[in-house]
Structures are given as structure tokens and as C-alpha cells.
Amino acid sequence: MADLSVTVAGVTFKNPIIPASGTFGFGREYEDLYPLSLLGGISTKGTTLDPKDGNPPPRIAETPAGMLNSVGLQNPGIDAFIRDALPYLQEQDTVIIANVAGSTVEDCVEIARRLENTKVHMLELNISCPNVKEGGVAFGTSCESAGAITAAVRKATTKPLMVKLSPNVTSITDIAKSVEAAGADAVSLINTLLGMRIDIESKRPILKNNVGGLSGPAVFPVAVRMVWQVANAVSIPVVGMGGVASGKDAIEMMMAGAQAVQVGAAIFHDPFAPVRIIREMNEWLDAHAYSSVSQIIGRVEPW
Amino acid sequence: MSYFQGNDVILHKENLAKNIYRLVIAAPDIAAFAKAGQFVHVTVPGYFLRRPISLCEADSSRGTITLVYEIRGEGTKALARLNEGETLDVMGPLGHGFTLDPGKKVIVVGGGIGVPPLLQAVKFYGANAKAILGFRDASAVILEEDFRRYGAETIVCTDNGTRGQKGFVTDALAGMVTKEKPDYLFACGPKVMLEKVAKIAADQKIECEVSLEERMGCGVGACLVCACRLKRTEEEKEYYGHVCKDGPVFPAKEVVF
């Protein structure tokens, strides 16, 4: 049995597998299936300063090997998160990554302040949500705004700060370098790719928001490519995500340079996906005589 | 909430009407915990998202659940290719079902593929239940004998009168409630039908519960995609609840149609 533990920005995870923000609620929804302590960590549902209602339904559409969503950051607000969700989460013996979202820099700064004296282990600043009109991806598509919001939140927190990047940009490495220079301790990528489906009978988009974020196995090669490029461009750790559905996918993502791996849409297909992936990684590492998962990080040998 | 996930064997498959199938599945854990109106979330070979299907019946002594579904798209078409002896990845029981209140009288109103989710409730209420089941025409009628077998006085309505009464279930319901008021009205079917049933219930001051449908992701309340517009009281502002966790069965007075 290989050592699966990894360290990201000073935080030790017992294994590298983390359910991705927005796909695992605040964890409790899955407690009937397995103890959350099996997971490396949990990235919680993106939380804004005030409660947010989200977009009108339909909010989901199936695609070949994946799905589109347009939830629009529906969440109960940061105070409800701290009051109602956190006490349960901090009893689960897993790393808690609080996903922070806001429509203004000031909102994100205030959320970081309110989390400062909680038992959250790490912040994940979401500058990449494609489904809200203000904030979200608007911060994540220019180097200046991505750097500015990162610097502002950096000042407001002593906790490790990870910034979640959008793939819907010309150069994700430039954005990654900007947030690194602004004080980010890690980056996570990729958020969803903007997509669209149309019901050709009604001539209407399936999503009421018209467009939404694509995730699932369909995006996996794009995610591996971007993780590899970013890992080569920055010196802070990269947490990889996008279409990971098996232990071999997670190994591939880590060989591309990811220190840890988030699992998202795969959970909707198989709610056991995160624990299955941990088991499959372990089996692969044993079969290939690795004593530690850290031995494969960034070990791709490019041509 | 207590739910399970596993690969469960299809014991029986039956074509009930054009494009409508009944599956009886060996799923003892789900059957033991299932309540009328809850649903299961099943995978379909070759498709990414699970499909939510309301429980038609759950038999804890036999350890079986019964699902009745209609082929509506490519996913349900693939589901219909599965045969007896094959397995289906089933997750459940999920969501919130109908109120089960011993000794009370209930009328269930179903339209089309909205009929099956009402059968388990009728099993509970027995002779205290009456059923009004609506279909397009005689060829689309399903489960009529099952509702009768569990003791419910059952009226079938068809749009063209080829079976039972001609006309809408809501017309039959309006007549029935003026004669004898039940304690509860349960409804499942097209949204326009649910809205009319909710109106009759409100006018007659009868507690009413409706089973809703929405495109769904996780099935357990984590992803928040299956949003539906609700309001707790007349005064409070509307908000998005979720069909998978807050429903699929909701008090009709809280649903914003």
C-alpha cells in the first residue's frame, strides 16, 4: 500500500482526492454512502457573502461524455455556511477547502475575513464561475483583475489561498502567473468550459441560461493539457480537475503536474467515484511498485 | 435520509402500453426503506447522467421495487433495451414522499406517466383511497387493475372517451370532491394538471401534495440543478428549492406554478 498523502500549500491531505466545489454540497449529502474521512479533502459549494438564489431551471443538460450546468452559484451565504455546515464538516477528519465566490472584490475580502477565525483549512477563490453575470469569470479572464482580487483576498487571510482558474481564456498560464505574483499559495484548474445545447424541435437552448459550463470526461484532455502548461509556468502547487473519473485519470493528472486532484461531475454518475478513485490509484501505484504517490507528480516525460 | 447504491437484478420486465415498461428489481435495502412518492436514480448504459424514476411500488417482504417508465429520449430507449436477468445501477430511495396518515381519506389524481408514482400511496390507504387516472386514449391506460386490487375506487378518464369517462381528470375530481371531501389530494402528472388540482384543493380547503419533475444531476441535494420555484407562505418571498431533496412531493400551496 503506497503512501497517498500529499501536501499542498502547507496543508497535508491524507490522499490527493478532493470532491470538487459544487458537486458535493457541504458533504453531508453523501454521509449515507461512506465516511467523509476517507476523502483527502472537500471543496465546499461556492459561497457568496449574501444568500444567492441561482439561475432559473433547467440548469443541467446532458452532453456526449459529460454535462452542462448553469446553477449560478445558488448558496445560503457565508454566515449560514459557518453556522450550519462547518460544525459538521470539522468533525469529519478531512481537509476543508472553503470555496469563496463574490460579485465584487470587497465581497470576497469580507468572506475571507469571516472565515479567518474558523477551522477551514484553505480558501479556494473562485474567479472562474461561467454562470453568473457579475464577478465569477469576469475576474478570471484578465491578468489585471485576477491579480487584483487575489492580492486583496491575500491581505484579508492568513489561511492558504488557492485560486480556481477558468479555461475560457486565451492563455491560462498568464493568468496563473498573475495570481502567483499576487500572493496565491496554489492554483486549481480547470473550472468548466462554456458550452451550449439546443433542443432542435423547440429551437430553444436546453439551459434556461442559454449557456453553461461543460464538465465530465469530455473535458479531461483539455484539463490535462492546461494542468501541464500551468505546472510548468508557475512554482506554486497546482490542483488538477476536469473530467477525472478513474484512478488512472487521477494518475495522469498528477503526472501532468497536479499535486492533488479534484473530482466533480463523475460523482453524479457514480456517487462512490472519489473513494473508488482512491482505491484504484492505490492499486495502480502498488502494481507499479511506487511507495508514494508523490513520486509520480509532474513525472510526464514530454517528447 | 437513508439511501443505498448498487447493481440490482431485473427480475421482471413487461411492456404495459406503447413505450411504457414495468421493471421489477431485486433491491432489498431500497425496498425496506422506501416510502410512497420517493424515487430512485438509475444509470443507463452509455449515458453520463442518471435518470430519476419515481417508485411505483416497494415490497419490503419480497425485497423488490417496481419502476414504470416511458421512453422519452435516447436514454430511456437504452434503458428499455435492458432485459430480465441483467443488472441496473440503482441509487435510492431518494427524496421526500407523500404524507402517510393512517385512517385518513385520500384522492389520488394521475395523468399519463404521472400515474405510477401514486400506486404505493394507494397501497397504504387501501379502501380509504380513490383514484382518478387520466390517459390520452384506451391504448395508453396502465395500472388500472393494480389501483383496484389495492382497494381504491378507480375512475379512468381518456381524452377521447375510448375508455372510462371522456374528459379531463380535473373535471372528474371537481365532481368527486363536491360529493365527499377527502383529507388529502395527491397528484402527479403534467404541470397544467397539477396546477388545476392545486386550485381545486385550495378552493375546497383540502390538503394537497403534488409530485414535480425537473432535469436532475446528483439526486441527493448536492449539485442544486433541479431547482423549482417555491414559497413557504403567501407573505414570504419566492425561492428555489430542489426536486431531489425537498421533493419530489411538495405541499401544493408552496409550489409556484
Side-chain angles (χ1 to χ4, degrees):
Chain A
M1 168 137 180
D3 175 9
L4 289 179
S5 67
V6 292
T7 302
V8 178
V11 179
T12 299
F13 295 72
K14 65 182 80 166
N15 65 64
I17 299 301
I18 306 160
S21 177
T23 64
F24 210 67
F26 297 123
R28 201 157 201 165
E29 289 79 2
Y30 289 95
E31 69 179 357
D32 280 351
L33 294 184
Y34 42 85
L36 303 182
S37 60
L38 294 178
L39 304 167
I42 295 174
S43 177
T44 57
K45 171 70 192 172
T47 305
T48 49
L49 189 56
D50 298 315
K52 199 167 165 62
D53 214 17
N55 290 325
R59 295 174 172 183
I60 190 167
E62 193 165 44
T63 69
M67 54 170 276
L68 294 170
N69 90 82
S70 58
V71 172
L73 281 175
Q74 181 172 11
N75 79 89
I78 190 64
D79 292 339
F81 167 73
I82 293 169
R83 185 186 63 234
D84 303 331
L86 202 50
Y88 168 80
L89 275 172
Q90 65 198 34
E91 298 300 314
Q92 303 309 309
D93 184 27
T94 190
V95 171
I96 307 164
I97 304 172
N99 188 285
V100 173
S103 54
T104 64
V105 173
E106 292 71 32
D107 278 10
C108 292
V109 165
E110 182 56 29
I111 295 166
R113 283 205 190 106
R114 292 193 197 180
L115 289 168
E116 182 62 7
N117 294 316
T118 66
K119 292 198 171 156
V120 162
H121 299 95
M122 187 185 259
L123 305 191
E124 182 179 53
L125 178 61
N126 179 359
I127 58 166
S128 45
C129 177
N131 292 321
V132 292
K133 285 196 176 64
E134 293 164 341
V137 77
F139 292 121
T141 48
S142 94
C143 292
E144 293 71 32
S145 55
I149 193 169
T150 303
V153 174
R154 169 75 291 164
K155 281 195 211 106
T157 184
T158 60
K159 293 185 187 289
L161 175 62
M162 179 157 74
V163 179
K164 183 167 174 179
L165 305 183
S166 170
N168 304 306
V169 294
T170 310
S171 171
I172 196 167
T173 54
D174 288 345
I175 308 278
K177 284 184 208 163
S178 298
V179 303
E180 179 183 36
D185 299 304
V187 286
S188 56
L189 61 134
I190 56 176
N191 204 319
T192 54
L193 287 143
L194 202 57
M196 184 177 191
R197 291 303 303 271
I198 299 166
D199 176 346
I200 58 171
E201 303 304 326
S202 67
K203 304 187 186 72
R204 292 282 201 180
I206 292 173
L207 299 175
K208 198 70 176 271
N209 193 48
N210 297 321
V211 297
L214 178 66
S215 60
V219 310
F220 180 65
V222 179
V224 172
R225 184 264 293 180
M226 288 188 162
V227 164
W228 180 63
Q229 288 178 324
V230 170
N232 283 301
V234 298
S235 52
I236 52 176
V238 175
V239 172
M241 79 189 93
V244 173
S246 70
K248 286 183 178 173
D249 292 345
I251 299 275
E252 186 173 337
M253 192 68 98
M254 293 184 80
M255 279 190 184
Q259 302 267 347
V261 174
Q262 295 192 9
V263 176
I267 295 166
F268 302 162
H269 182 79
D270 172 13
F272 282 96
V275 291
R276 173 175 52 77
I277 289 169
I278 295 164
R279 190 188 69 235
E280 289 169 353
M281 287 183 87
N282 214 343
E283 287 165 1
W284 189 92
L285 291 165
D286 284 351
H288 293 76
Y290 286 102
S291 59
S292 163
V293 72
S294 56
Q295 291 165 339
I296 62 157
I297 296 170
R299 292 304 173 89
V300 59
E301 296 172 13
W303 298 102
Chain B
M1 185 169 70
S2 199
Y3 66 91
F4 309 89
Q5 185 252 342
N7 290 307
D8 300 325
V9 178
I10 299 169
L11 301 174
H12 176 73
K13 177 187 178 186
E14 183 184 353
N15 185 206
L16 295 181
K18 192 181 175 217
N19 287 335
I20 297 181
Y21 291 86
R22 165 154 54 194
L23 295 180
V24 180
I25 298 164
D29 291 338
I30 297 175
F33 283 84
K35 295 204 171 64
Q38 287 187 300
F39 71 98
V40 294
H41 217 20
V42 306
T43 62
V44 179
Y47 290 83
F48 187 69
L49 293 175
R50 287 174 175 263
R51 268 65 181 167
I53 303 175
S54 278
L55 286 160
C56 174
E57 293 186 66
D59 187 329
S60 57
S61 60
R62 290 198 180 126
T64 60
I65 57 171
T66 302
L67 308 179
V68 174
Y69 66 93
E70 182 176 29
I71 296 179
R72 284 195 185 169
E74 295 302 317
T76 37
K77 201 184 275 177
L79 184 60
R81 283 195 285 270
L82 289 175
N83 287 311
E84 289 173 8
E86 293 187 277
T87 61
L88 189 62
D89 177 342
V90 187
M91 185 176 161
L94 299 170
H96 206 92
F98 291 108
T99 297
L100 302 176
D101 199 347
K104 295 292 168 76
K105 291 192 185 309
V106 59
I107 299 177
V108 303
V109 185
I113 200 62
V115 165
L118 299 165
L119 186 60
Q120 183 71 20
V122 160
K123 227 164 136 178
F124 177 87
Y125 284 99
N128 283 330
K130 291 180 183 175
I132 306 174
L133 313 177
F135 304 94
R136 199 177 51 248
D137 56 38
S139 73
V141 174
I142 54 168
L143 303 175
E144 182 184 356
E145 286 316 309
D146 299 79
F147 279 83
R148 292 223 168 88
R149 182 157 46 92
Y150 292 129
E153 180 189 323
T154 301
I155 295 171
V156 166
C157 303
T158 51
D159 295 353
N160 61 4
T162 47
R163 177 78 149 267
Q165 297 183 10
K166 183 176 181 204
F168 294 126
V169 287
T170 42
D171 298 331
L173 175 66
M176 197 184 268
V177 294
T178 50
K179 272 179 252 156
E180 193 192 346
K181 230 157 107 170
D183 299 295
Y184 296 102
L185 272 179
F186 297 160
C188 186
K191 222 159 186 179
V192 286
M193 184 204 100
L194 297 183
E195 192 174 357
K196 282 184 188 161
V197 172
K199 172 93 173 45
I200 291 169
D203 291 347
Q204 299 287 329
K205 298 192 167 49
I206 305 165
E207 287 294 318
C208 179
E209 295 176 348
V210 295
S211 180
L212 301 184
E213 210 178 24
E214 187 51 72
R215 284 174 187 263
M216 199 176 277
C218 70
V220 297
C223 76
L224 311 182
V225 306
C226 55
C228 57
R229 210 73 182 142
L230 302 174
K231 64 173 187 305
R232 283 191 190 85
T233 63
E234 283 301 325
E235 301 76 45
E236 274 180 76
K237 77 175 179 73
E238 293 174 12
Y239 68 103
Y240 283 122
H242 297 93
V243 170
C244 73
K245 196 176 185 182
D246 307 316
V249 175
F250 293 90
K253 59 177 187 273
E254 293 184 17
V255 175
V256 181
F257 286 102

